[in-house]
Amino acid sequence: MTPTLLLVYAVVLIAVVGMAPRLVTHPWVVRLRVLLPSWRFFEAPGDVPVLSVRWGPDADRLGPWHAVALRPRRHLAMLVFNPAGNLALAHAALLQSLVDAIEATGEASAVDTAAQIGASAPYALTARLAREHVRRLAEAPASRYQFKLALVSSLDAARTDVLVSEVDPC
């Protein structure tokens, strides 16, 4: 029974993967594709989302932008035990899901887009991530912070700001 189910699963998965990329956008199908290697995964490098934060005593006196370094330094022990690397991958997936949420708003007006993005789970989680980094980076306690999400091109390092948050309390 189990080998038959696995065979049916593999055949369906291969058929779905073989379809045109525009047809394979359902979240469940994307999750299942992880089980099969894909030569198209490394085909075209994309833009990398980068999170930056700034903070200060009030909204008028915020400091310079500081990039949030989500990637830990590599060492040999990471081959066996790598919780910091796994957390960095989760943060990168969160930033990418925020970019996807922004792109999903489409041609809506700026007010509607801001309301949709501000109410989304990826935005709330990114704001919390930014707040935690401000608390860790700031020498003196900051009362206000702001974060910015930018896309950095992996080809020419061009930077495009995608989202700049409101100034929020820490």
Side-chain angles (χ1 to χ4, degrees), residues 37-70:
S38 174
W39 57 91
R40 290 181 285 177
F41 182 75
F42 298 104
E43 194 169 281
D47 296 338
V48 178
V50 175
L51 182 65
S52 300
V53 294
R54 66 181 183 167
W55 60 88
D58 57 37
D60 297 331
R61 296 185 293 164
L62 295 176
W65 291 103
H66 297 275
V68 174
L70 299 175

Side-chain angles (χ1 to χ4, degrees), residues 54 56 59 62 123 127 131 142-147 165-170:
R54 66 181 183 167
L62 295 176
Y123 181 88
R131 188 179 323 115
S143 61
R144 300 280 178 187
Y145 80 101
Q146 186 177 29
F147 70 91
S165 74
E166 298 291 326
V167 178
D168 292 324
C170 281

Side-chain angles (χ1 to χ4, degrees), residues 63-147:
W65 291 103
H66 297 275
V68 174
L70 299 175
R71 197 178 292 177
R73 292 186 57 115
R74 294 183 183 197
H75 49 83
L76 190 57
M78 286 181 151
L79 293 173
V80 178
F81 185 67
N82 191 11
N86 291 340
L87 184 60
L89 288 173
H91 289 162
L94 170 64
L95 297 180
Q96 186 60 50
S97 67
L98 182 58
V99 169
D100 292 343
I102 292 168
E103 290 174 353
T105 58
E107 297 295 323
S109 70
V111 174
D112 292 339
T113 300
Q116 287 175 348
I117 298 302
S120 69
Y123 181 88
L125 291 170
T126 303
R128 183 173 181 176
L129 175 65
R131 188 179 323 115
E132 292 301 320
H133 277 282
V134 166
R135 290 178 181 163
R136 190 175 320 132
L137 294 173
E139 293 86 24
S143 61
R144 300 280 178 187
Y145 80 101
Q146 186 177 29
F147 70 91

